Amino acid sequence: MTQLFQPTCILDLKATLGEGPVWSVRDHALWFVDIKQKRVHRYDPDIGAHRTYHAPSEPGFVAPKIHGGFIVGCKTGLYDFDPVTGNFTLLTHVEAGLPTNRLNDGFVDAQGRLWFGSMDDDEERPTGKLYRYDMRGLKVMDEDYVITNGPAVSPDGKTLYHNDTLKKHIYAFDLDADGEINNKRLFAQLDADGHTPPHGEGYMDGPIVDSEGNVWVGLFFGWGVNVYAPDGRLIRKVDFPVSNVTKIAFGGRDLKTVYATTAAKGLTVDDLTAQPLAGGLFSFRSDIAGQAQNDIAFL
């Protein structure tokens, strides 16, 4: 039995950079990616089945479509992905003029719009942007990021959160019904008080918002997941036995089973010896439910 706030490795995957977990109610399965191994994964918790698909380039996220199938954001653009055939069909290039950039984290809002970020794959230049993609096309919503993560949206649909990973910041924006954002402000940050715990606080990775409006953030090099109240207060840390926790997803029939992707990227040989489950898929139970995964409505 998965324990309350006690992460257990359920799939020893050895992912280089596991990311982007999403829970598909239609499939009753978890979908996620390994960016550096160029793979899309499906995990069926009822029977413990695991299937792997090979993406055309580094996949940053996988997002379900309302009529079936997925959109996968890769280094080379947005792809339509058919899990029955395993085929990836290019929909559009996103940043063809920035060869060192790739797409990173993504999210679908309650109106079925796709949001995602880009980043410099060398993790040096502020060439990353936040995009919105809907029936009106592709639009840059914010920019000047080295590494983007998120976004995620509050239960009332009025606040959008987005991470600047290297700055260790979570930003909040006002989000209106038309999908426009404004009033960018700092929501939370790491190392704000100058105190560094024994393992270090790490970097803000992927965010997600639960049904009560709390923001859960994976911590890369931070050994866990931080949980922030809607007012930005840190209210919980879920500790992990591995240092690189990238993102969580709420799943299961009650949306209280939490799945977490992790990464071996950036770890030394000694680190990997000390963290044999690095890159695994983890799970634990929460006493708060998540929000149901939204589907892309316009494709």
Side-chain angles (χ1 to χ4, degrees):
M1 181 70 177
T2 306
Q3 298 298 307
L4 194 67
F5 302 115
Q6 296 295 317
T8 300
C9 185
I10 57 174
L11 188 61
D12 186 9
L13 194 62
K14 309 297 185 193
T16 304
L17 187 52
E19 256 290 8
V22 296
W23 176 257
S24 171
V25 174
R26 180 171 51 233
D27 300 337
H28 197 73
L30 186 80
W31 292 83
F32 60 103
V33 302
D34 183 338
I35 297 171
K36 293 303 180 181
Q37 294 187 28
K38 302 180 184 178
R39 294 176 180 175
V40 173
H41 295 278
R42 171 188 162 134
Y43 177 71
D44 184 335
D46 288 342
I47 58 176
H50 170 228
R51 183 172 179 182
T52 300
Y53 303 83
H54 294 275
S57 60
E58 292 94 325
F61 65 85
V62 54
K65 300 190 300 178
I66 195 166
H67 298 300
F70 297 85
I71 298 301
V72 177
C74 293
K75 179 179 175 64
T76 46
L78 297 175
Y79 286 78
D80 191 288
F81 167 53
D82 182 350
V84 176
T85 63
N87 291 336
F88 291 80
T89 304
L90 180 66
L91 290 175
T92 181
H93 292 290
V94 177
E95 294 180 335
L98 294 171
T100 67
N101 268 24
R102 64 170 174 82
L103 304 188
N104 201 36
D105 203 5
F107 172 79
V108 184
D109 68 19
Q111 287 71 39
R113 299 175 291 229
L114 176 63
W115 299 75
F116 62 90
S118 65
M119 61 171 281
D120 174 30
D121 207 16
D122 296 328
E123 301 180 5
E124 296 175 352
R125 294 167 290 274
T127 52
K129 298 177 176 65
L130 171 63
Y131 291 91
R132 187 194 68 211
Y133 186 45
D134 59 17
M135 64 180 60
R136 296 166 290 184
L138 189 64
K139 182 177 179 179
V140 175
M141 305 300 291
D142 197 23
E143 53 191 327
D144 196 32
Y145 295 85
V146 178
I147 301 174
T148 57
N149 267 293
V153 173
S154 60
D156 65 6
K158 295 180 178 180
T159 305
L160 180 141
Y161 302 96
H162 192 235
N163 293 4
D164 187 319
T165 294
L166 287 193
K167 289 183 179 177
K168 304 187 179 186
H169 288 175
I170 305 176
Y171 294 112
F173 300 78
D174 293 339
L175 173 65
D176 69 22
D178 292 327
E180 300 300 326
I181 57 174
N182 56 69
N183 190 25
K184 181 179 180 179
R185 58 203 180 269
L186 183 64
F187 172 73
Q189 67 183 102
L190 294 176
D191 302 329
D193 59 1
H195 171 67
T196 303
H199 285 308
E201 289 194 291
Y203 295 87
M204 302 281 199
D205 210 304
I208 192 170
V209 183
D210 68 27
S211 60
E212 296 184 4
N214 303 305
V215 181
W216 300 57
V217 182
L219 300 175
F220 206 94
F221 294 136
W223 297 85
V225 174
N226 275 0
V227 186
Y228 297 91
D231 63 4
R233 289 178 298 115
L234 178 64
I235 57 175
R236 178 186 293 277
K237 181 177 181 183
V238 182
D239 293 314
F240 273 67
V242 295
S243 65
N244 299 340
V245 183
T246 54
K247 192 172 184 177
I248 70 159
F250 289 88
R253 289 175 174 82
D254 61 0
L255 295 180
K256 290 185 178 180
T257 298
V258 179
Y259 296 96
T261 48
T262 69
K265 181 179 180 290
L267 300 183
T268 67
V269 172
D270 288 344
D271 290 335
L272 292 171
T273 299
Q275 302 176 44
L277 297 177
L281 178 67
F282 286 76
S283 182
F284 61 90
R285 291 287 290 172
S286 169
D287 57 357
I288 300 173
Q291 299 184 72
Q293 171 68 39
N294 300 308
D295 294 330
I296 297 171
F298 63 98
L299 293 172

